Amino acid sequence: MAKDGFDVDVPEGPVVTKDAEPEVGHQFFYFSEPTEEETTLSITVVGASGDLARKKIFPALFALFYEGYLPENFTVFGYARTKMNDEELQNMISQTLTCRIDKRENCDDKMKEFLQRCFYHSGQYNSENDFAELDLKLREKEGGRVPNRLFYLSIPPNIFVDVVRCASRRASSEKGWTRVIVEKPFGRDSESSRELTRSLKQYLAEDQIFRIDHYLGKELVENLSVLRFSNLVFEPLWSRNYIQNVQFIFSEDIGTEGRGGYFDHYGIIRDIMQNHLLQILALFAMETPVSLDAEDIRNEKVKVLRSVRPFQLEDIVVGQYKGHSKGGKSYPGYTDDPTVPKNSLTPTFAAAALFIDNARWDGVPFLMKTGKALYTKRAEIRVQFRHVPGNLFRGNIGYDLDRTTNELVIRVQPDEAIFLKINNKVPGLGMRLDRSDLNLLYKARYPIEIPDAYERLLLDAIEGERRLFIRSDELDAAWALFTPLLKELEENKIAPELYPYGSRGPVGAHYLAAKHGVRWGDLIDEYL
């Protein structure tokens, strides 16, 4: 398969200007300036009839086209087993396309133009002949230009290798680059993850594989490095000397509606904690990279992951939501889902305490909390700083110092924001202190629509930027942390603590935090 960085050889020759008069008896040959061959981009969405493709990938591609980020020559192909023609695909895609809030004047024209670039080919995922037919259609649309081809695998992981084998052998670019975006999950444990990587590398080089974790494309996650490394006020504080604990919180206010069968095979630890939260932790805690080059950043992330202390069973609390009635409405429990076994022990909630054994973070608890069917939807990073030594205003604060500690909150979603909690004097006579926020609310400061994470990651893959994609050794280090824990939970059949649908989660999560001298910051907010 063609690899990135393929050079197109263009013959060079002497250049003679047409202004010069030819001398009698001499023959001159006129040459035009050598130019690079024209390229085209072909994007194939494998699994085009699925929900992810329909709701996320095609709308993200249209947004890139609408904003002018796709090249002049591009085509989009959908590939799936579903029988469909070009017009039916275009109709399906058109139902989920939207334009930016601030640029609606030519929306319909742009949609029509984009849909005219979208085509469909029906085939089996394991058929080289079907991919050979796709290749013929791609060549027809590419029109003799140098083709760059991007395949997005929006399919279950058990057919990744079949698709990669067929695409590599029969539908890869011969002159340009070929890249493949792979969606999580990347295995269920260390062994299956290594086997998947080994199988993919039979047909692809590492730099052709783009393992996507869409949370790394979130605006506030990408801003994390900017906040830390370009603001002198934060970098000196970013260590055990000033930070008491760090919390990574990801909660959803819905259950597994519609995907209980899939979820039961993986559970919340594999679905959220082992990838989304651990990747954000690595970005947060890494040392300053040599540069912003993808390999330099990923090298530092791997160092962090390899420094995380191995899990103990007492470092984690698991839960599962149960049915609950509230306000006259009944909410089903996890095992009420007909696709979930009645005796399932799969956790829908997990809270964990991690420690990074290096000089910067020695002794600082990193707490993760994630769950479904909780009381609110949120994703945030909370940095709680140490108490002020010998605080002069202790008499005005009282003895509950946790309620007055400085805290930096990075709210990833919803309502993206960065705010710093400080103590401030309430105006008036006397000395009364109040906890206030220095607040950067994105929708107030930046009155533009924030791009979806898939837009950023698709654009990075097209441009060959790997900074926000996961390298194979990162994946190995992440699974090395969680595989022994998952094995112990499943082999010992550890029963999850039940919690009502719409609650704050299992009580055990509060005990876990208290064990390390920490209060969950999101719950403190509720009572202030």
Side-chain angles (χ1 to χ4, degrees):
M1 186 174 272
K3 299 182 181 179
D4 298 339
F6 187 96
D7 292 321
V8 180
D9 293 326
V10 179
E12 296 185 1
V15 178
V16 180
T17 64
K18 292 185 179 181
D19 295 334
E21 288 291 331
E23 298 180 18
V24 178
H26 293 273
Q27 186 174 7
F28 282 78
F29 296 92
Y30 297 99
F31 296 89
S32 60
E33 289 284 350
T35 58
E36 291 186 6
E37 290 189 57
E38 194 175 7
T39 62
T40 185
L41 173 65
S42 298
I43 303 168
T44 301
V45 181
V46 182
S49 58
D51 277 353
L52 178 63
R54 186 167 50 86
K55 295 178 180 178
K56 289 292 185 180
I57 302 170
F58 288 120
L61 289 170
F62 171 66
L64 292 176
F65 169 70
Y66 186 68
E67 298 288 348
Y69 285 107
L70 293 184
E72 180 182 354
N73 301 312
F74 80 91
T75 54
V76 176
F77 262 86
Y79 184 99
R81 290 175 297 199
T82 305
K83 297 298 182 183
M84 199 186 310
N85 58 34
D86 294 346
E87 185 178 353
E88 288 171 325
L89 175 76
Q90 292 164 5
N91 289 336
M92 182 193 79
I93 295 173
S94 66
Q95 296 171 15
T96 59
L97 300 188
T98 59
C99 293
R100 294 288 185 226
I101 292 172
D102 55 341
K103 296 181 182 177
R104 290 190 180 274
E105 65 278 359
N106 61 345
C107 186
D108 290 341
D109 291 341
K110 283 287 189 180
M111 281 187 182
K112 184 177 180 181
E113 188 179 348
F114 176 76
L115 291 171
Q116 288 173 347
R117 308 273 193 111
C118 296
F119 307 95
Y120 187 76
H121 183 70
S122 175
Q124 297 298 313
Y125 294 129
N126 61 353
S127 170
E128 292 189 21
N129 288 336
D130 289 345
F131 274 86
E133 292 174 6
L134 172 66
D135 180 62
L136 291 176
K137 288 187 177 181
L138 289 172
R139 288 173 184 268
E140 179 185 347
K141 301 300 180 185
E142 288 161 351
R145 303 178 186 92
V146 174
N148 294 319
R149 294 183 178 178
L150 177 67
F151 291 85
Y152 195 118
L153 305 193
S154 177
I155 50 177
N158 61 307
I159 51 179
F160 282 170
V161 178
D162 282 339
V163 170
V164 167
R165 170 178 55 81
C166 295
S168 171
R169 290 177 175 174
R170 306 306 295 269
S172 63
S173 174
E174 295 176 355
K175 291 186 176 181
W177 51 254
T178 302
R179 296 169 186 157
V180 178
I181 297 177
V182 183
E183 272 277 356
K184 76 173 185 71
F186 313 116
R188 295 188 76 254
D189 50 27
S190 290
E191 183 179 352
S192 59
S193 176
R194 281 195 296 266
E195 176 58 25
L196 176 60
T197 296
R198 186 193 65 78
S199 298
L200 292 176
K201 287 186 175 181
Q202 289 181 343
Y203 310 103
L204 299 170
E206 174 65 29
D207 62 5
Q208 292 178 277
I209 305 171
F210 286 70
R211 299 175 187 85
I212 191 172
D213 182 336
H214 74 273
Y215 245 76
L216 295 183
K218 296 284 186 182
E219 185 68 40
L220 271 291
V221 174
E222 188 167 21
N223 190 52
L224 189 57
S225 297
V226 177
L227 183 72
R228 175 181 170 189
F229 296 124
S230 70
N231 292 287
L232 185 60
V233 67
F234 289 123
E235 176 57 21
L237 307 180
W238 221 260
S239 73
R240 62 188 177 84
N241 295 327
Y242 295 97
I243 292 178
Q244 183 186 44
N245 69 84
V246 184
Q247 302 174 19
F248 303 91
I249 299 169
F250 182 105
S251 63
E252 294 180 286
D253 56 1
I254 60 171
T256 58
E257 287 88 336
R259 57 193 293 263
Y262 162 83
F263 185 87
D264 198 68
H265 186 61
Y266 291 96
I268 198 74
I269 297 175
R270 292 182 177 94
D271 195 39
I272 303 295
M273 191 173 280
Q274 182 272 340
N275 42 73
H276 296 337
L277 296 188
L278 193 63
Q279 282 292 318
I280 296 173
L281 179 149
L283 278 173
F284 179 95
M286 70 180 183
E287 295 297 320
T288 307
V290 173
S291 73
L292 292 176
D293 180 77
E295 297 312 306
D296 290 333
I297 291 174
R298 298 196 290 188
N299 287 343
E300 295 303 330
K301 287 170 63 183
V302 170
K303 290 178 187 177
V304 171
L305 296 176
R306 289 176 176 169
S307 299
V308 176
R309 188 184 305 170
F311 271 114
Q312 301 298 320
L313 199 56
E314 57 266 26
D315 294 329
I316 193 161
V317 171
V318 292
Q320 186 185 94
Y321 66 88
K322 62 182 181 179
H324 181 59
S325 296
K326 185 178 181 181
K329 184 176 180 180
S330 295
Y331 297 90
Y334 174 67
T335 54
D336 294 331
D337 186 326
T339 63
V340 173
K342 292 298 180 185
N343 60 348
S344 173
L345 298 178
T346 299
T348 62
F349 176 99
L354 293 80
F355 290 87
I356 300 173
D357 290 334
N358 63 19
R360 182 182 290 272
W361 298 112
D362 185 36
V364 176
F366 286 78
L367 272 67
M368 294 180 175
K369 181 170 67 170
T370 180
K372 293 185 175 294
L374 296 174
Y375 73 106
T376 187
K377 176 182 178 179
R378 77 168 76 201
E380 60 188 18
I381 305 165
R382 306 185 76 105
V383 186
Q384 294 184 352
F385 293 92
R386 295 192 180 279
H387 302 144
V388 177
N391 196 326
L392 291 173
F393 297 96
R394 182 164 187 154
N396 305 85
I397 294 173
Y399 290 94
D400 193 356
L401 298 181
D402 287 335
R403 291 182 180 269
T404 58
T405 187
N406 297 131
E407 186 175 27
L408 175 66
V409 181
I410 302 168
R411 187 191 297 147
V412 178
Q413 71 174 30
D415 298 326
E416 294 87 348
I418 301 171
F419 48 97
L420 180 64
K421 295 180 178 294
I422 64 168
N423 296 312
N424 194 55
K425 178 184 177 297
V426 176
L429 302 177
M431 183 60 69
R432 186 162 65 91
L433 271 60
D434 179 45
R435 198 185 196 202
S436 304
D437 293 347
L438 301 179
N439 194 346
L440 170 59
L441 184 62
Y442 267 53
K443 66 182 179 182
R445 177 66 178 85
Y446 306 106
I448 58 173
E449 186 175 340
I450 295 177
D452 185 79
Y454 281 92
E455 296 172 36
R456 175 172 289 107
L457 293 168
L458 276 164
L459 181 60
D460 281 354
I462 291 167
E463 295 180 344
E465 171 56 67
R466 297 170 179 80
R467 184 168 44 94
L468 298 177
F469 294 89
I470 302 169
R471 204 168 61 189
S472 59
D473 55 345
E474 285 184 74
L475 199 56
D476 289 344
W479 276 121
L481 276 173
F482 279 93
T483 295
L485 174 69
L486 288 163
K487 186 177 181 181
E488 190 170 1
L489 284 170
E490 290 165 359
E491 286 185 352
N492 294 328
K493 299 187 182 301
I494 303 296
E497 181 182 344
L498 297 179
Y499 63 95
Y501 193 118
S503 69
R504 290 177 171 81
V507 174
H510 305 281
Y511 288 119
L512 175 68
K515 172 184 171 183
H516 298 287
V518 176
R519 287 186 183 180
W520 292 107
D522 57 326
L523 301 184
I524 293 176
D525 283 353
E526 294 297 312
Y527 297 106
L528 287 180

